[in-house]
């Protein structure tokens, strides 16, 4: 189980990036979303009733991420940089219910990274949650704020 947790929590190895592992994990999340949309356009468009499948995938990765983080933190320390499954989930939350386009994907990346790095609006408070949930939930909160901004942009255009 340990190897599975390491593989998943490091975003399939992207968390080992020597430069900006969180950004690398976010890129992996965006690439996964792009591939899901490309291969399963009726199931992962980012908007509409089909989003039930995307929500299920987000919840699955959220639970795996919390369990993996809780399992690995004793060895790796609290919220280690190489755990990036939280960035994958966070950028997916940013893309939830957003019409698919490459521009929206790029904006989701930028907005999520800004909220994740600067952690405004009480996002940092989520880091205090126990058993791996703090690792995951601050990025979910960043994703929610980024999603609101992206939804507002989509509404304006």
């Amino acid at each position: 189980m340990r190897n599975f947790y390491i593989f998943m929590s490091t975003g399939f190895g992207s968390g080992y990036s020597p430069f900006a592992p969180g950004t690398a994990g976010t890129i992996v999340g965006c690439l996964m979303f792009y591939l899901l949309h490309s291969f399963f356009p009726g199931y992962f468009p980012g908007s509409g009733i089909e989003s039930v499948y995307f929500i299920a995938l987000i919840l699955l990765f959220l639970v795996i991420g919390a369990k993996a983080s809780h399992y690995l933190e004793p060895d790796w320390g609290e919220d280690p940089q190489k755990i990036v499954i939280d960035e994958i989930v966070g950028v997916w939350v940013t893309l939830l219910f957003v019409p698919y386009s490459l521009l929206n994907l790029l904006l989701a990346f930028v907005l999520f990274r800004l909220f994740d790095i600067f952690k405004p609006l009480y996002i940092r408070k989520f880091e205090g949650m126990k058993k791996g949930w703090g690792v995951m939930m601050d990025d979910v909160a960043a994703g929610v704020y980024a999603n609101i901004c992206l939804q507002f942009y989509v509404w304006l255009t």
Side-chain angles (χ1 to χ4, degrees), residues 18-39:
F19 177 75
T23 299
T26 306
I27 290 169
V28 167
C30 288
L31 286 173
M32 289 175 70
F33 183 83
Y34 174 79
L35 291 173
L36 285 169
H37 182 269
S38 296
F39 289 108

Side-chain angles (χ1 to χ4, degrees), residues 32-142:
M32 289 175 70
F33 183 83
Y34 174 79
L35 291 173
L36 285 169
H37 182 269
S38 296
F39 289 108
F40 307 102
Y43 295 96
F44 294 98
S47 61
I49 192 69
E50 311 82 25
S51 292
V52 169
Y53 298 105
F54 191 41
I55 292 169
L57 190 64
I58 290 170
L59 292 174
L60 176 66
F61 270 64
L62 179 65
V63 170
I64 289 170
K67 290 182 80 57
S69 298
H70 179 64
Y71 180 84
L72 295 168
E73 276 186 329
D75 295 333
W76 289 0
E78 192 173 311
D79 200 358
Q81 285 189 328
K82 59 186 159 187
I83 292 180
V84 297
I85 193 170
D86 52 332
E87 272 80 15
I88 292 170
V89 170
V91 78
W92 286 354
V93 169
T94 304
L95 290 160
L96 192 58
F97 305 119
V98 173
Y100 178 79
S101 76
L102 291 178
L103 177 60
N104 287 348
L105 188 59
L106 177 64
L107 290 172
F109 173 82
V110 171
L111 287 168
F112 171 72
R113 288 308 295 150
L114 287 172
F115 279 101
D116 186 35
I117 291 166
F118 294 109
K119 299 191 186 313
L121 305 168
Y122 303 103
I123 292 172
R124 194 168 305 283
K125 289 200 178 266
F126 287 97
E127 291 176 335
M129 296 176 77
K130 303 293 183 212
K131 298 191 175 188
W133 289 104
V135 172
M136 299 302 296
M137 293 308 292
D138 70 315
D139 288 76
V140 169

Side-chain angles (χ1 to χ4, degrees), residues 103-104 150-157:
L103 177 60
N104 287 348
L150 191 52
Q151 293 286 355
F152 186 66
Y153 166 78
V154 168
W155 179 74
L156 284 175
T157 57

